[in-house]
Amino acid sequence: MVSEQFQKTEKFLFGFLLFILIWLPLPLGANRPWAWALMQMSIFALGGLLVLIDTKVVNRLWSKYRTFAMLWLAFLAWQLLNIIPLPAAFIDFIRPQRLDYLEAGISAHTSAWASLSFDVGQSHIVFVKSLAYCFLFFITLSLVNSSKRLKFTLVTISAVGIFQAIYGALEILSGLQYSLVFRLPVSHIATGSFVYKNHYANFLLLCLSAAIGYLIASLHIGSGATTRERLRRFLQFWLSNKVLFRIGIIIMVIALVMSRSRMGNSAFFISMTVTATLGLVFFKPRQKSFIALFISMLVIDVLIVSSLFGLKQVQERLEQTNLAQESRDEVITDTLPLLKQFGFLGSGGGTFYTLYPQVQNERIQHFYDHAHNEYLQFALEFGVIGSLLIGGVVLICLKHSFSAMRNRRHPLPRGTAFACIMAAMGMALHCSVDFPLQAPANSVFFIVILALGSISRTLKIARPSRSQQE
């Protein structure tokens, strides 16, 4: 009875995790204080309930994912170093600019204690977000503990992306003046329920990674087959729900193109092509259905469908990109002196917003609250050490995914590993020119996909049945 009750409760918690993924992008990508506060409360509540029903979960996660736990804890502790009050004499020794900054404020600084962060309020916000992301990572590692749940998670991420794609495309094609979500003005560029087109494009990239991974996970296991068997599989494919899934991918690609995001589109096509090439090299045995899938994506999604929905406009934007007209590169140049000053300890989470106006070039007329380069902003706010700590989590997940791609023979771990590698590669490209991780919905989906990639290496898969098909 206890075991049955435990399984029901755990199943409910897994459903709650999927529910968080479903609603999170709707309130403007959760990029509003009330939305990310609700996200944090949901994740903390989920983690607390998981520990209550399974008192051994922490020990189990520590023994299995000790390296991940140490990296996350070190990253959080590194952030706390910038937040906790320290003696002013110590601050003066470590970072005298901080005391100068306080004394230059409205009222002179008279306290004997201060924090290293140049904006303690913003650093607190970033710390609580980071803590929620840490909880989410380990919750995913704990709850996604079967092949069935792994598939459900991939399908949920894909379904959310398909919904966003349909919504974003219909807003443009229907000629609405104001969006159905929060009544924001609608232009000729698709943004879905997001505000910023590049956040929307990056979100679709993550969902496309999961969708393509799921399709790979659904490929037939087995080597040769007779002509009759191939015909049977072909008919089964067109009569199954995989066709709807394939159509959903096409719709997401259309919406991605309609976002007119230069790097969003470039990151998708580059990451998909490179990861598919890795699949051709490492998948053993090599499946003809895998090759057919990506030939169809290149021909149908890229050459035919995308060209009908504005791929040419995206190409023109890429061709017309001129560094002389762009100010993002000047933002990076202006920020480098700050990085030299605070690159070791970091200036504190969320402090780019506070520090950049002090060094902003007079020629830059736009307001920048982010660096348009996540590597630079992370290095400035968290320091090189903090950035390496959280970067280590991503690299280990990629290592596990590469291991699954090379060594697992079942399509499910292969497809999941493919999704993780493609998402990480696309995110790495996009982060070089923008700030996609500043949208909580994007960060959450990316963290979940990274956790799934790590799971793919060791997850036990039931013996495949003969009913699996292409």
Side-chain angles (χ1 to χ4, degrees):
M1 178 65 72
V2 175
S3 177
E4 184 179 348
Q5 185 64 34
F6 169 79
Q7 290 177 356
K8 287 182 179 179
T9 307
E10 194 200 32
K11 188 181 294 185
F12 166 78
L13 295 181
F14 175 68
F16 188 35
L17 172 63
L18 298 185
F19 176 70
I20 293 174
L21 297 179
I22 290 170
W23 73 260
L24 191 61
L26 295 177
L28 308 179
N31 201 15
R32 292 294 183 273
W34 67 267
W36 71 58
L38 184 58
M39 171 199 75
Q40 291 161 4
M41 289 188 291
S42 300
I43 293 173
F44 292 146
L46 181 57
L49 289 172
L50 180 60
V51 173
L52 283 176
I53 69 163
D54 185 2
T55 55
K56 296 180 180 179
V57 66
V58 175
N59 292 333
R60 195 163 58 247
L61 287 171
W62 174 259
S63 61
K64 190 174 182 180
Y65 300 107
R66 183 171 302 177
T67 305
F68 280 135
M70 289 190 295
L71 286 172
W72 272 108
L73 289 174
F75 177 63
L76 293 170
W78 192 256
Q79 288 190 56
L80 280 175
L81 182 63
N82 272 301
I83 299 174
I84 58 175
L86 298 170
F90 182 73
I91 298 291
D92 187 44
F93 176 74
I94 296 295
R95 180 172 290 166
Q97 305 96 325
R98 172 59 176 154
L99 295 183
D100 294 340
Y101 181 82
L102 288 171
E103 290 171 359
I106 297 175
S107 59
H109 176 69
T110 57
S111 174
W113 295 77
S115 299
L116 286 168
S117 172
F118 282 85
D119 192 329
V120 180
Q122 287 294 326
S123 295
H124 273 291
I125 292 172
V126 172
F127 174 77
V128 177
K129 281 184 184 178
S130 301
L131 185 61
Y133 297 152
C134 174
F135 268 61
L136 176 69
F137 184 78
F138 289 104
I139 288 169
T140 305
L141 291 177
S142 177
L143 291 178
V144 184
N145 52 22
S146 68
S147 56
K148 186 176 181 181
R149 289 187 179 182
L150 182 54
K151 281 188 175 181
F152 266 124
T153 308
L154 290 174
V155 169
T156 300
I157 294 173
S158 306
V160 173
I162 293 170
F163 170 80
Q164 283 289 336
I166 293 173
Y167 173 60
L170 286 180
E171 272 193 337
I172 306 302
L173 298 176
S174 62
L176 291 174
Q177 291 185 335
Y178 295 96
S179 66
L180 300 177
V181 178
F182 300 107
R183 301 287 295 170
L184 295 174
V186 175
S187 67
H188 64 287
I189 297 172
T191 57
S193 64
F194 291 71
V195 176
Y196 186 39
K197 64 180 180 181
N198 288 324
H199 283 170
Y200 177 63
N202 183 266
F203 182 80
L204 290 177
L205 184 154
L206 296 174
C207 295
L208 277 163
S209 301
I212 296 171
Y214 177 77
L215 272 188
I216 295 172
S218 304
L219 295 178
H220 175 76
I221 305 173
S223 48
T226 63
T227 304
R228 182 177 178 181
E229 180 69 13
R230 291 195 190 97
L231 179 61
R232 183 180 70 83
R233 292 177 190 167
F234 179 78
L235 292 174
Q236 285 179 334
F237 174 83
W238 287 102
L239 294 174
S240 69
N241 59 0
K242 295 175 190 174
V243 175
L244 297 176
F245 215 83
R246 184 67 184 87
I247 294 172
I249 290 177
I250 294 175
I251 294 172
M252 281 194 279
V253 173
I254 291 172
L256 177 61
V257 172
M258 293 178 71
S259 73
R260 304 294 189 264
S261 172
R262 289 167 292 183
M263 184 50 81
N265 281 273
S266 300
F268 165 68
F269 293 122
I270 292 171
S271 61
M272 183 186 72
T273 304
V274 173
T275 313
T277 304
L278 291 174
L280 289 173
V281 173
F282 293 123
F283 284 173
K284 306 294 182 188
R286 190 174 293 117
Q287 296 165 296
K288 293 182 179 178
S289 53
F290 174 79
I291 300 173
L293 171 64
F294 281 96
I295 290 176
S296 74
M297 290 198 68
L298 289 172
V299 173
I300 297 175
D301 297 41
V302 180
L303 299 180
I304 299 177
V305 175
S306 298
S307 61
L308 297 175
F309 287 89
L311 186 61
K312 185 177 180 180
Q313 288 90 326
V314 177
Q315 291 173 334
E316 289 175 352
R317 286 200 70 210
L318 285 168
E319 292 169 358
Q320 293 169 3
T321 299
N322 187 343
L323 289 179
Q325 298 175 346
E326 290 279 346
S327 56
R328 297 184 191 185
D329 59 314
E330 295 185 17
V331 174
I332 295 173
T333 303
D334 292 344
T335 307
L336 290 178
L338 294 175
L339 187 61
K340 291 179 181 179
Q341 282 185 290
F342 312 117
F344 180 72
L345 290 176
S347 57
T351 54
F352 178 87
Y353 173 90
T354 304
L355 292 176
Y356 179 68
Q358 302 176 26
V359 296
Q360 183 171 344
N361 194 310
E362 293 180 357
R363 293 194 302 268
I364 299 177
Q365 301 300 318
H366 300 291
F367 171 73
Y368 284 92
D369 53 352
H370 298 292
H372 284 268
N373 184 306
E374 292 283 25
Y375 304 108
L376 179 62
Q377 185 162 342
F378 268 59
L380 172 63
E381 295 183 351
F382 304 124
V384 174
I385 293 179
S387 301
L388 289 176
L389 288 172
I390 195 62
V393 174
V394 179
L395 290 176
I396 294 174
C397 290
L398 281 174
K399 179 184 176 183
H400 291 173
S401 299
F402 274 114
S403 176
M405 183 179 277
R406 289 172 63 97
N407 302 318
R408 301 300 297 267
R409 298 178 68 85
H410 194 281
L412 180 57
R414 284 181 175 182
T416 307
F418 185 100
C420 179
I421 293 170
M422 179 178 166
M425 190 175 300
M427 183 65 77
L429 290 170
H430 207 166
C431 282
S432 65
V433 296
D434 225 305
F435 48 98
L437 290 173
Q438 302 301 323
N442 292 22
S443 293
V444 163
F445 274 62
F446 185 48
I447 287 168
V448 169
I449 292 174
L450 286 176
L452 297 183
S454 188
I455 290 168
S456 68
R457 185 183 63 144
T458 57
L459 184 70
K460 293 181 180 180
I461 305 295
R463 192 184 184 99
S465 65
R466 297 183 62 183
S467 61
Q468 284 181 288
Q469 54 202 288
E470 280 184 309

